[in-house]
């Protein structure tokens, strides 16, 4: 797209927004500061490097077999960098424990150490990225249907040890990068059918968490991710939302809200203003559930828009961490990163451009027709001209021109895998 035209369109947009008291420069600056935490697992369908031929378990599924997935660390790193070259701004990378640099050796989950992630830390630094982390309790012979909530002490202790080590790794990352690494804990524990000892497994999970969190760290932050159900675990999930909300509120832990982990009609956006009052911060896993927790690529739909707007309406950009979490194996995986990241940013930008002052004045005066009318008209304010400017400023493709670029990379690289 022609640079002069992008600038002209932006100037007109800035004027239009100014009539509503919105400063587009401020919005651009605020968007620039938002780092998304990109999930490393979109590049390889959650395979990891421990046993790339292993089966994905834990009630999650990457459907599709589009060619070209990353088969090793070098390919994954190259793909992530390719993707970020089309995403404006600076972003973080979210690693799972199974993505360690194991040097071709099998390192069991209760043996992993910060050294297995040193090359990642260096690589991230070289590429101006910060790292976040996740324990991995799925896709392992000891995963079964219960890990941290397993009545078998041997298995439970194995996963406790794993998760403790993950916290130590996350701490090392945070220290190295001079910025806290966020460690997410999600376990699949649950049951396919009616469970008659629900309290028992939840008690076990609570005890495991207490043991895991006994060590205090300065350079990492813990977050705990709830879920409604998993495939093959439809009737009972030990780590339900009530469970983690209670645990997080009581123990000052961050609760992770994955947008695919709730009833489909439940508003995730509405949860923010409650969590912000009772838990230290919030971690988001932005996804797109279609019929179930299908992990479709995030798009700029009402759900994502509502969520992004709510972060900004709560003035909580410094307390809400925005991670992506989907794994679509049916389309170009680099394209999946780019679409989902840009969509999330577009939603945030629209939140930043909302004429919130006027809207709140209407609300305070009970002018509810006026509030609704402005909300509706706001939808067609020229936010897209501001978005184009953001891409231009960040030297990434404006508009759809990244499509051809990704096709080129596919032809030259991923299709040859
Ligand atoms: C699963 C959770 C979890 C995973 C990743 C791979 O339902 O959303 O966050 O997607 O840990
Ligand atoms: Zn998630």
């Amino acid at each position: 797209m022609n640079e002069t035209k992008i600038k002209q369109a932006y100037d007109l947009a800035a004027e239009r927004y100014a009539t509503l008291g919105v400063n587009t420069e401020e919005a651009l600056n605020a968007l620039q500061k938002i780092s998304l935490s990109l999930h490393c697992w979109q590049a390889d369908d959650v395979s990891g490097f421990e046993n790339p031929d292993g089966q994905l378990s834990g009630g999650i599924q990457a459907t599709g077999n589009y060619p070209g997935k990353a088969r090793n660390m070098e390919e994954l790193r190259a793909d992530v960098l390719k993707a970020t070259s089309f995403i404006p701004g600076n972003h973080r990378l979210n690693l799972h424990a199974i993505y360690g640099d194991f040097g071709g050796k099998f390192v069991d989950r209760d043996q992993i150490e910060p050294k297995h992630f040193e090359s990642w830390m260096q690589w991230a630094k070289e590429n101006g990225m910060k790292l976040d982390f996740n324990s991995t309790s799925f896709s392992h012979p000891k995963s079964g249907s219960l890990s941290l909530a397993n009545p078998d002490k041997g298995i439970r202790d194995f996963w406790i040890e794993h998760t403790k080590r993950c916290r130590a790794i996350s701490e090392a990352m945070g220290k190295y990068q001079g910025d806290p690494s966020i460690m997410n804990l999600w376990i699949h524990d649950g049951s396919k059918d009616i469970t008659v000892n629900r309290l028992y497994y939840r008690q076990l999970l609570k005890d495991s968490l207490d043991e895991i969190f006994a060590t205090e760290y300065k350079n990492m932050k813990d977050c705990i991710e709830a879920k409604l159900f998993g495939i093959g675990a439809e009737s009972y999930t030990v780590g339900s939302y009530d469970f983690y909300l209670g645990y997080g509120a009581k123990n000052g832990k961050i609760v992770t809200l994955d947008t695919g982990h709730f009833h489909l009609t439940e508003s995730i956006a509405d949860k923010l203003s409650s969590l912000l009052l009772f838990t230290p911060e919030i971690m988001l896993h932005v996804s797109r559930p279609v019929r179930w927790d299908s992990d479709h690529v995030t798009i700029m739909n009402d759900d994502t828009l509502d969520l992004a707007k709510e972060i900004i309406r709560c003035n909580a950009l410094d307390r809400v961490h925005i991670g992506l979490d989907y794994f679509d194996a049916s389309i170009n995986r680099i394209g999946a990163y780019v679409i989902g990241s840009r969509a999330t940013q577009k939603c945030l930008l629209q939140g930043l451009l909302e004429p919130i002052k006027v809207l709140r004045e209407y609300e305070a005066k009970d002018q509810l027709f006026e509030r609704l009318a402005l909300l509706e008209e706001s939808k067609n304010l020229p936010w897209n001209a501001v978005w184009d400017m953001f891409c231009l400023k960040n030297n990434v493709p404006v508009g759809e021109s990244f499509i051809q670029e990704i096709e080129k990379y596919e032809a030259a690289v991923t299709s040859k895998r």
Side-chain angles (χ1 to χ4, degrees):
M1 243 193 283
N2 176 309
E3 217 176 293
T4 316
K5 291 213 166 115
I6 293 168
K7 287 184 177 149
Q8 283 170 347
Y10 172 76
D11 289 341
L12 288 174
E15 259 177 51
R16 174 68 180 102
Y17 275 108
T19 64
L20 287 160
V22 176
N23 185 323
T24 53
E25 283 299 305
E26 279 172 17
L28 284 173
N29 292 337
L31 188 60
Q32 195 71 50
K33 289 193 196 123
I34 304 177
S35 291
L36 304 176
S37 185
L38 302 181
H39 55 314
C40 74
W41 51 93
Q42 166 59 50
D44 74 340
D45 314 338
V46 211
S47 302
F49 312 136
E50 183 190 72
N51 174 15
D53 301 323
Q55 278 295 103
L56 180 58
S57 76
I60 50 178
Q61 278 179 6
T63 52
N65 56 358
Y66 196 81
K69 79 172 194 174
R71 295 165 301 179
N72 52 48
M73 202 163 53
E74 290 64 43
E75 290 180 356
L76 190 132
R77 286 178 181 170
D79 289 359
V80 167
L81 289 183
K82 188 41 91 176
T84 53
S85 73
F86 303 123
I87 304 167
N90 282 324
H91 302 289
R92 306 171 71 92
L93 185 66
N94 195 7
L95 290 177
H96 241 284
I98 49 173
Y99 288 79
D101 190 349
F102 303 120
K105 287 190 221 87
F106 175 71
V107 181
D108 210 351
R109 307 266 174 102
D110 63 344
Q111 299 298 319
I112 56 168
E113 294 178 50
K115 70 173 186 206
H116 299 119
F117 293 87
E118 255 161 32
S119 76
W120 272 114
M121 295 184 222
Q122 285 156 9
W123 175 87
K125 192 175 189 183
E126 275 158 33
N127 292 288
M129 287 181 125
K130 306 260 161 70
L131 297 174
D132 293 320
F133 201 53
N134 297 257
S135 52
T136 316
S137 63
F138 50 85
S139 306
H140 184 278
K142 288 198 172 73
S143 296
S145 56
L146 294 168
S147 61
L148 290 176
N150 202 309
D152 181 323
K153 189 164 182 319
I155 295 183
R156 199 167 68 245
D157 284 347
F158 176 86
W159 291 114
I160 290 174
E161 180 62 26
H162 168 69
T163 319
K164 282 184 175 171
R165 282 168 179 260
C166 285
R167 291 184 78 228
I169 292 166
S170 189
E171 171 71 10
M173 286 174 172
K175 204 166 175 195
Y176 184 88
Q177 65 201 17
D179 187 63
S181 159
I182 315 253
M183 195 197 116
N184 188 56
L185 189 160
W186 170 73
I187 55 164
H188 55 281
D189 293 35
S191 178
K192 183 182 174 82
D193 221 328
I194 302 162
T195 303
V196 294
N197 214 348
R198 292 174 177 249
L199 179 61
Y200 176 52
Y201 308 108
R202 291 199 168 121
Q203 179 70 55
L204 287 173
L205 178 54
K206 180 189 170 293
D207 293 348
S208 294
L209 294 179
D210 288 347
E211 203 178 323
I212 289 164
F213 294 140
T215 310
E216 300 258 346
Y217 287 118
K218 286 203 179 76
N219 300 293
M220 59 87 64
K221 293 179 182 179
D222 294 297
C223 48
I224 44 184
E225 181 179 9
K227 190 163 179 173
L228 184 63
F229 78 98
I231 298 290
E234 290 85 358
S235 300
Y236 172 63
T237 297
V238 186
S240 61
Y241 184 54
D242 309 69
F243 177 90
Y244 283 124
L245 184 57
Y247 194 94
K250 191 167 174 205
N251 300 291
K253 295 291 175 194
I254 302 174
V255 175
T256 302
L257 300 175
D258 183 310
T259 59
H261 289 193
F262 295 86
H263 291 283
L264 287 177
T265 52
E266 211 169 334
S267 162
I268 318 307
D270 185 49
K271 298 182 188 301
L272 300 191
S273 49
S274 297
L275 283 181
L276 285 168
L277 295 176
F278 301 108
T279 57
E281 295 171 30
I282 296 174
M283 178 76 215
L284 296 176
H285 275 187
V286 186
S287 183
R288 176 167 52 112
V290 178
R291 314 269 178 223
W292 63 287
D293 176 29
S294 55
D295 288 293
H296 279 64
V297 178
T298 298
I299 56 169
M300 198 189 81
N301 58 12
D302 284 352
D303 294 342
T304 320
L305 270 167
D306 285 349
L307 185 64
K309 284 184 183 167
E310 196 54 31
I311 301 172
I312 289 138
R313 287 175 189 168
C314 290
N315 193 20
L317 277 169
D318 55 343
R319 288 181 62 202
V320 180
H321 307 276
I322 308 164
L324 303 182
D325 182 13
Y326 50 81
F327 23 101
D328 189 341
S330 74
I331 61 172
N332 181 298
R333 293 171 183 78
I334 291 139
Y337 273 124
V338 178
I339 295 168
S341 307
R342 288 174 67 120
T344 306
Q345 290 180 297
K346 286 181 202 171
C347 291
L348 288 162
L349 178 61
Q350 287 174 74
L352 291 163
L353 291 169
E354 193 169 59
I356 192 68
K357 200 165 162 281
V358 185
L359 286 165
R360 287 201 167 136
E361 277 163 12
Y362 285 146
E363 186 168 293
K365 290 189 201 137
D366 222 12
Q367 291 176 282
L368 304 187
F369 142 70
E370 290 83 347
R371 181 184 64 183
L372 188 59
L374 185 55
L375 279 168
E376 276 302 286
E377 287 303 312
S378 298
K379 291 178 182 170
N380 30 315
L381 287 173
W383 65 270
N384 58 322
V386 185
W387 169 251
D388 287 349
M389 189 60 170
F390 187 64
C391 291
L392 185 70
K393 275 189 157 184
N394 279 279
N395 210 13
V396 302
V398 175
E400 69 283 5
S401 55
F402 65 84
I403 297 174
Q404 286 74 35
E405 296 301 316
I406 290 177
E407 282 175 345
K408 276 188 217 156
Y409 185 70
E410 176 166 45
V413 181
T414 55
S415 67
K416 307 229 163 92
R417 288 177 184 161

